[in-house]
């Protein structure tokens, strides 16, 4: 069953996050390039405007999807998960802290701790 056909739940939200991590690590050079672009945008205002608009639009789309799908939490929780996943990706695709935790276990913990106690 596809993710979009399932009933909204914490488990579905976890599977969405798993999919995002898998998709962004499948092409590591592309994800690394985006991370590098975000850092370069901190030094170049013209790039910051363009990239910032794109990132904010993506975040708004993620929030709209999240709410329309009836997943737990809202805009704040989606932002928390963006921040958390960005850090995980940086660790997976860059120089790691090598804490020894499985990425899937980290994803499960992100969802349960950041969204688990939140009403829809």
């Amino acid at each position: 069953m596809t993710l979009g056909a399932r009933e909204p739940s914490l488990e579905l939200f976890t599977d969405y996050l798993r999919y995002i991590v898998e998709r962004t690590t499948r092409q590591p050079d592309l994800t690394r390039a985006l991370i590098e672009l975000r850092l370069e945008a901190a030094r170049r205002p013209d790039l910051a405007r363009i990239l910032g608009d794109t990132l904010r639009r993506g975040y708004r789309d993620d929030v709209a999807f999240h709410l329309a799908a009836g997943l737990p939490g809202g805009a704040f929780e989606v932002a928390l998960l963006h921040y958390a996943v960005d850090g995980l990706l940086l660790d997976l695709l860059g120089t790691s802290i090598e804490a020894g935790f499985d990425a899937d276990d980290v994803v499960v913990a992100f969802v349960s701790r950041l969204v688990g106690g939140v009403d829809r």
Side-chain angles (χ1 to χ4, degrees):
M1 177 181 298
T2 64
L3 292 174
R6 291 173 41 193
E7 289 294 317
S9 68
L10 208 53
E11 292 76 25
L12 175 60
F13 196 16
T14 303
D15 287 344
Y16 272 121
L17 210 56
R18 280 183 179 119
Y19 169 72
I20 290 166
V21 170
E22 183 231 312
R23 190 185 71 206
T24 54
T25 57
R26 190 179 319 136
Q27 294 182 308
D29 289 340
L30 185 62
T31 303
R32 284 185 195 107
L34 180 56
I35 292 167
E36 290 176 13
L37 207 68
R38 289 180 76 171
L39 292 171
E40 184 62 24
R43 295 181 286 274
R44 296 183 43 205
D46 290 342
L47 178 57
R49 276 191 295 284
I50 295 166
L51 186 59
D53 288 346
T54 301
L55 293 171
R56 287 185 289 277
R57 184 173 44 256
Y59 167 70
R60 286 191 306 268
D61 290 348
D62 286 349
V63 170
F65 171 81
H66 185 89
L67 296 174
L71 295 169
F76 182 70
E77 288 76 23
V78 171
L80 288 176
L81 288 165
H82 269 262
Y83 302 146
V85 168
D86 285 350
L88 175 61
L89 291 173
L90 186 60
D91 194 75
L92 290 172
L93 301 176
T95 303
S96 176
I97 64 171
E98 296 182 15
F101 300 107
D102 179 75
D104 189 63
D105 292 340
V106 172
V107 166
V108 171
F110 283 165
V111 174
S112 67
R113 293 180 187 182
L114 298 176
V115 181
V118 177
D119 292 330
R120 291 176 196 225

